[in-house]
Amino acid sequence: MPTGPRAAKPQASYWLSDRAGAKRRREPEAGTGNGAGLDLDRVVRATIRLLDAEGLARFSMRRLAAALGVTPMSVYWYVDNKDDLLEIALDEINGEIPVPPDDATTTEPEDWRGQLRALATGYRTMLVAHPWASRLMGEYLNAGPRATAFATAAYRVIRRAGLPEDRAPGALAAVHQFAYGFGTVEGRWAERCRTAGTDEDELLREVFDATRDKPELGGLTGLIARHTTGRRDELRERDFAFALDVLIAGIDSLRESADG
């Protein structure tokens, strides 16, 4: 029989609850605060701006209300709690990823390789633009309409590669996790530079100076030196494109072996 306090059971998802379908009034009732003209879309957009500017650690409903110029009670008229709002914001930015049309609705279907590259690149771009998002993935189910549209399109594309049905999820996971890892590291590094009040070049030079006289860190020093040449962004884009090509080539070879 347990003797200690039991942890609260985590909610499955805002999107799977009755709250997602509940209708909210456009304006709060009298007495709930100065929220005239406020609606859920405006609350979500302000949430994303605040998270982009200040990060997840500093985000609070009180700070959000201040940014909107309303009282916290006005914000709670549109969402029940902070978790719901963060999950809605996470789904909203998934809508920034360009999703290819269903080839069944087009007269000239695109090659699956190009579509997979576009999806992976769009996913990485979203994570870099919103470094807080990677911290929320796994915290929430991410089952909103925009995230679902992205996942559905990605699965549709990978199935067109011609892999056996039981291999398709693994291939898609490889591409997804690669883009997630690349975008997460890139976004969080840029976020750390902003937090430290410096730019990436300056911080890389500082690290290079601290490691160049340490032979045991030769590999790290060489990697940093490569990115202090003024071509950092170009090299990063090239590395991402090449690594993605390697993954797609691997999928292609597995598809061909399955055909054989």
Side-chain angles (χ1 to χ4, degrees):
M1 185 173 180
T3 57
R6 297 179 63 183
K9 183 179 180 180
Q11 61 181 17
S13 172
Y14 163 82
W15 298 107
L16 302 181
S17 70
D18 294 337
R19 300 188 304 282
K23 293 183 179 179
R24 295 285 188 175
R25 295 183 178 90
R26 186 170 183 81
E27 295 183 3
E29 292 178 340
T32 60
N34 181 21
L38 201 62
D39 59 26
L40 182 58
D41 288 342
R42 185 181 166 200
V43 170
V44 173
R45 289 195 301 270
T47 297
I48 293 169
R49 287 195 300 270
L50 194 60
L51 287 166
D52 288 346
E54 299 188 358
L56 187 60
R58 297 191 64 194
F59 180 81
S60 70
M61 300 297 268
R62 187 173 297 277
R63 293 178 73 84
L64 173 63
L68 286 165
V70 301
T71 66
M73 285 303 297
S74 295
V75 177
Y76 283 112
W77 186 254
Y78 300 98
V79 290
D80 289 347
N81 52 60
K82 178 180 170 182
D83 281 329
D84 284 358
L85 181 55
L86 290 175
E87 194 172 2
I88 295 168
L90 181 61
D91 185 67
E92 185 71 21
I93 60 172
N94 271 272
E96 298 174 8
I97 306 170
V99 174
D102 187 343
D103 285 325
T105 65
T106 61
T107 56
E108 296 182 2
E110 290 188 31
D111 182 75
W112 65 268
R113 300 166 189 82
Q115 290 186 335
L116 195 58
R117 286 190 187 94
L119 283 168
T121 300
Y123 186 55
R124 169 207 172 194
T125 299
M126 181 272 286
L127 290 169
V128 173
H130 309 289
W132 51 272
S134 63
R135 292 180 168 88
L136 295 183
M137 292 175 182
E139 293 288 330
Y140 303 114
L141 188 58
N142 204 17
R146 293 168 181 81
T148 300
F150 168 62
T152 300
Y155 187 73
R156 187 171 62 234
V157 169
I158 204 69
R159 287 294 290 128
R160 288 186 55 242
L163 288 170
E165 188 172 356
D166 64 334
R167 302 280 183 87
L172 185 57
V175 176
H176 180 274
Q177 294 300 329
F178 159 69
Y180 173 84
F182 204 105
T184 295
V185 171
E186 189 177 359
R188 290 190 185 181
W189 175 255
E191 183 182 46
R192 177 170 178 78
C193 291
R194 288 196 302 271
T195 301
T198 186
D199 61 39
E200 192 168 348
D201 288 330
E202 183 178 344
L203 193 55
L204 281 170
R205 283 194 296 270
E206 182 180 332
V207 175
F208 176 71
D209 289 341
T211 60
R212 61 181 173 180
D213 295 328
K214 298 181 179 180
E216 68 275 17
L217 298 177
L220 175 62
T221 304
L223 184 62
I224 295 171
R226 179 173 178 264
H227 286 83
T228 57
T229 62
R231 298 172 55 233
R232 182 187 67 254
D233 292 340
E234 176 188 340
L235 291 170
R236 186 178 288 152
E237 293 298 326
R238 190 178 71 182
D239 289 347
F240 178 82
F242 177 74
L244 185 55
D245 282 346
V246 169
L247 281 174
I248 292 173
I251 294 171
D252 232 347
S253 67
L254 290 172
R255 175 181 63 86
E256 292 168 359
S257 64
D259 290 342

